[in-house]
């Protein structure tokens, strides 16, 4: 009988403890969800065939992972139609924010797709370029692209007394247009610096190389290449070396990529590049996204400083990585 009473007492205590535990879990569930709702973010860059965007996205991916959220990353491979399809897929997935580097800054298709996303309450962050319709973006994160063109032009004017200049452009992207505009505005009042050819490169080595080949074969003389980015500049260098041009050609780029910095430090083939910071760009982009998702005020335009690198200061930076 005594044993029976002890067993019943233990049973009641266990039952009471079990009920208290269940009640505690229920209260916790009601007051603080055990697993908070995951936020979803979509990223689409004009092309992932550019290490710059991989670095930007790595910073975003790191922060999203630290929040336990979901990141969808897409590569439209320079196709407006593919990028529009990706935006629609983000809408279908009910993402909370879209981070986009537009294939074409002025594309009406991309603008329409993003406006549709905004109507669904999705935040829009544009990175490393602007949209022509600036009202579409909640936040735009860019380098000081105009300043990058100015810095290259100023360096050239202190290095080369006269120049016949080949421009390598990407006319669909406002950030690239700003760089070329900064360069052209700086040399505008100096007739000893003249543009002899302009070629589209879309910022790609494999496009700029044959474009420069063609200029050489046409017999157009030039002694300076101003490229909208390092990938185009490296394509120009490859063409010049293949054609074995005998005279000195001064090559300028924008990015501060590891490949360009190594060439600048270890050879005389590159004259200068203007370094951007994809690390800062990615960090500021995702910080802005989370601030908006938390209902906090954000700057509508965030401009990241740039810096010229040449032989005089290349030893002061990490040439193996990005800024």
């Amino acid at each position: 009988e005594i044993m029976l009473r002890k067993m019943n007492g233990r049973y009641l205590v266990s039952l009471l403890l079990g009920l208290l535990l269940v009640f505690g879990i229920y209260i916790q569930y009601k007051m603080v969800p055990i697993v908070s709702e995951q936020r979803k973010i979509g990223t689409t860059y004009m092309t992932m065939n550019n290490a710059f965007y991989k670095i930007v996205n790595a910073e975003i991916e790191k922060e999203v992972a630290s929040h336990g959220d979901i990141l969808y990353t897409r590569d439209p491979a320079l196709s407006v139609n593919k990028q529009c399809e990706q935006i629609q897929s983000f809408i279908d997935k009910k993402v909370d924010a879209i981070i986009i580097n537009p294939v074409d800054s002025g594309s009406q298709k991309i603008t329409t797709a993003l406006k549709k996303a905004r109507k669904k309450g999705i935040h829009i962050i544009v990175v490393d370029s602007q949209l022509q319709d600036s009202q579409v973006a909640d936040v735009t994160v860019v380098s000081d692209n105009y300043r990058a063109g100015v810095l290259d032009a100023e360096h050239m004017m202190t290095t080369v007394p006269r120049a016949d200049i080949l421009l390598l452009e990407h006319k669909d992207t406002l950030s690239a247009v700003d760089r070329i505009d900064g360069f052209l505005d700086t040399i505008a009042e100096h007739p000893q610096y003249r543009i002899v050819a302009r070629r589209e490169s879309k910022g790609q080595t494999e496009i700029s190389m044959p474009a420069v080949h063609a200029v050489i074969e046409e017999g157009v003389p030039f002694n300076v290449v101003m490229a909208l980015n390092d990938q185009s500049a490296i394509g120009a260098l490859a063409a010049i070396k293949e054609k074995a041009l005998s005279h000195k050609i001064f090559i300028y780029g924008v990015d501060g990529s590891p490949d360009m910095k190594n060439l600048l430090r270890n050879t005389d083939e590159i004259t200068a590049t203007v370094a951007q910071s994809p690390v800062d760009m990615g960090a500021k982009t995702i910080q802005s996204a989370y601030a908006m998702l938390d209902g906090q005020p954000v700057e509508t335009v965030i401009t990241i400083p740039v810096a010229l690198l040449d032989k005089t200061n290349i030893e002061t930076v990490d040439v193996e990585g990005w800024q």
Side-chain angles (χ1 to χ4, degrees):
E1 186 178 345
I2 293 171
M3 287 289 294
L4 200 59
R5 285 178 184 174
K6 285 183 178 179
M7 288 175 64
N8 287 338
R10 287 174 186 160
Y11 173 76
L12 288 172
V13 169
S14 297
L15 180 62
L16 182 59
L17 289 172
L19 288 171
L20 286 172
L21 179 62
V22 170
F23 181 71
I25 292 171
Y26 174 78
I27 292 297
Q28 184 186 30
Y29 174 78
K30 284 295 185 182
M31 300 299 291
V32 181
I34 295 173
V35 179
S36 60
E37 185 178 346
Q38 286 181 303
R39 288 162 165 171
K40 293 182 283 189
I41 296 171
T43 61
T44 172
Y45 307 91
M46 68 169 69
T47 174
M48 294 304 280
N49 185 27
N50 186 335
F52 185 91
Y53 297 122
K54 293 178 182 178
I55 299 298
V56 171
N57 199 65
E59 290 300 306
I60 292 169
E61 189 174 32
K62 186 165 56 179
E63 188 67 16
V64 171
S66 74
H67 283 77
D69 292 335
I70 299 170
L71 180 68
Y72 305 106
T73 298
R74 301 290 182 263
D75 177 6
L78 295 172
S79 167
V80 166
N81 289 336
K82 280 185 181 179
Q83 192 160 58
C84 290
E85 290 168 7
Q86 290 163 3
I87 294 167
Q88 182 58 54
S89 77
F90 294 153
I91 295 171
D92 295 340
K93 291 178 184 298
K94 298 181 179 179
V95 301
D96 299 287
I98 292 173
I99 296 168
I100 180 171
N101 169 249
V103 170
D104 182 344
S105 297
S107 168
Q108 191 57 49
K109 283 185 176 181
I110 291 174
T111 298
T112 300
L114 291 174
K115 284 182 176 178
K116 182 178 178 182
R118 285 199 70 167
K119 285 181 181 177
K120 298 288 186 179
I122 298 171
H123 295 290
I124 307 297
I125 303 99
V126 178
V127 61
D128 192 43
S129 189
Q130 311 95 298
L131 290 167
Q132 271 186 1
D133 186 347
S134 60
Q135 301 303 309
V136 176
D138 294 293
V139 177
T140 300
V141 184
V142 288
S143 297
D144 193 343
N145 290 297
Y146 187 88
R147 177 69 178 157
V150 171
L151 289 173
D152 271 339
E154 289 177 344
H155 188 281
M156 179 195 69
M157 292 166 69
T158 62
T159 306
V160 188
R162 307 182 67 83
D164 291 329
I165 304 162
L166 166 60
L167 295 181
L168 296 177
E169 305 179 272
H170 187 179
K171 293 179 181 177
D172 289 339
T173 304
L174 286 179
S175 58
V177 171
D178 284 347
R179 294 170 195 174
I180 298 299
D181 284 350
F183 184 89
L184 292 175
D185 289 350
T186 305
I187 67 172
E189 302 302 320
H190 303 273
Q192 67 271 38
Y193 301 101
R194 63 189 189 121
I195 308 301
V196 296
R198 303 175 74 147
R199 294 293 184 270
E200 177 60 50
S201 73
K202 294 191 179 295
Q204 303 296 301
T205 300
E206 63 271 21
I207 297 175
S208 69
M209 184 178 175
V212 175
H213 265 157
V215 173
I216 295 169
E217 288 170 0
E218 289 164 15
V220 179
F222 62 92
N223 64 332
V224 169
V225 174
M226 169 57 194
L228 80 303
N229 70 353
D230 287 352
Q231 282 192 294
S232 292
I234 289 170
L237 174 61
I240 290 163
K241 291 176 74 173
E242 188 171 295
K243 291 295 183 180
L245 297 185
S246 58
H247 64 283
K248 171 68 175 175
I249 297 179
F250 300 84
I251 299 177
Y252 289 85
V254 177
D255 271 344
S257 66
D259 286 345
M260 194 75 157
K261 287 187 290 189
N262 269 291
L263 284 168
L264 185 56
R265 185 178 71 174
N266 298 315
T267 76
D268 293 321
E269 298 169 339
I270 297 298
T271 309
T273 183
V274 177
Q276 302 188 81
S277 178
V279 174
D280 283 352
M281 186 174 287
K284 291 183 187 300
T285 296
I286 194 60
Q287 287 165 10
S288 296
Y290 274 115
M292 282 192 292
L293 294 179
D294 292 336
Q296 299 172 7
V298 294
E299 296 179 67
T300 56
V301 178
I302 298 171
T303 304
I304 299 172
V306 295
L308 186 130
L309 298 175
D310 65 4
K311 284 288 188 185
T312 68
N313 62 359
I314 189 62
E315 298 295 342
T316 67
V317 299
D318 172 20
V319 298
E320 300 304 324
W322 290 83
Q323 315 305 107

